[in-house]
Amino acid sequence: MSEQASLRDESRGEAPDADTIEAICRVTIAKLPAQFTVHLGDIVFAVEEYADDETLAALGLEHPLDLSGLYHGRPLGEKSSMESGAMPDRIVLYRRAILEEWIETGVRLDDLVAHVTIHEIGHHFGLGDDDMHALEDAAEDGAEDSAA
């Protein structure tokens, strides 16, 4: 049985649900180096089916399957200790877009969710793409170290 099939609910033949996507997200976060995880405590992580029309319009996107994740907030380096009353930062993973990409690319679901999660966490830290890739590599190294 393929890994993709093993991630499905075999009793019903359904695609992974929001709880499965969130569980993969949480495992990914746990694998990050401590210097990053210490700054993630106040972020709300959520899984939604699709991005809403308002979010898509704000990003100039036409189709909800074009957005697999989104960071809502101000990057850590732009925050001030004098701010108060702000809503907590949020990272939203969009389940249907992730599943569509999973089907189209054949990438393992846990790898895909990890990639999207780390990308959005990278926005929280104000990281560029190269730094996000390094963070993703560090999470993979953490997974290998814990498996050894």
Side-chain angles (χ1 to χ4, degrees):
M1 177 184 303
S2 74
E3 286 188 24
Q4 288 182 351
S6 69
L7 290 170
R8 294 186 178 143
D9 182 339
E10 295 177 84
S11 66
R12 298 182 303 205
E14 295 180 1
D17 61 10
D19 291 338
T20 300
I21 303 292
E22 183 176 349
I24 296 169
C25 171
R26 300 278 175 200
V27 167
T28 299
I29 293 165
K31 294 176 186 175
L32 292 173
Q35 68 262 31
F36 290 97
T37 58
V38 71
H39 298 287
L40 299 177
D42 294 334
I43 295 180
V44 174
F45 290 88
V47 178
E48 297 176 3
E49 286 298 296
Y50 294 103
D52 61 31
D53 291 338
E54 181 180 333
T55 299
L56 294 172
L59 296 171
L61 299 173
E62 294 184 18
H63 199 281
L65 294 180
D66 292 337
L67 185 63
S68 55
L70 186 63
Y71 169 69
H72 296 271
R74 290 183 56 204
L76 216 50
E78 296 178 14
K79 293 185 182 212
S80 167
S81 61
M82 304 309 264
E83 295 175 2
S84 67
M87 295 295 291
D89 291 355
R90 290 183 43 165
I91 289 177
V92 181
L93 303 180
Y94 296 108
R95 177 181 168 271
R96 295 296 302 266
I98 289 170
L99 294 180
E100 186 72 20
E101 187 173 342
W102 175 51
I103 291 166
E104 287 179 2
T105 65
V107 171
R108 286 178 22 164
L109 183 64
D110 56 341
D111 289 342
L112 180 57
V113 173
H115 174 76
V116 174
T117 300
I118 290 170
H119 185 88
E120 300 313 324
I121 287 171
H123 287 303
H124 172 67
F125 289 102
L127 300 178
D129 285 342
D130 289 343
D131 292 327
M132 287 183 205
H133 291 298
L135 183 56
E136 196 167 354
D137 291 344
E140 288 173 11
D141 291 344
E144 291 170 9
D145 292 344
S146 65

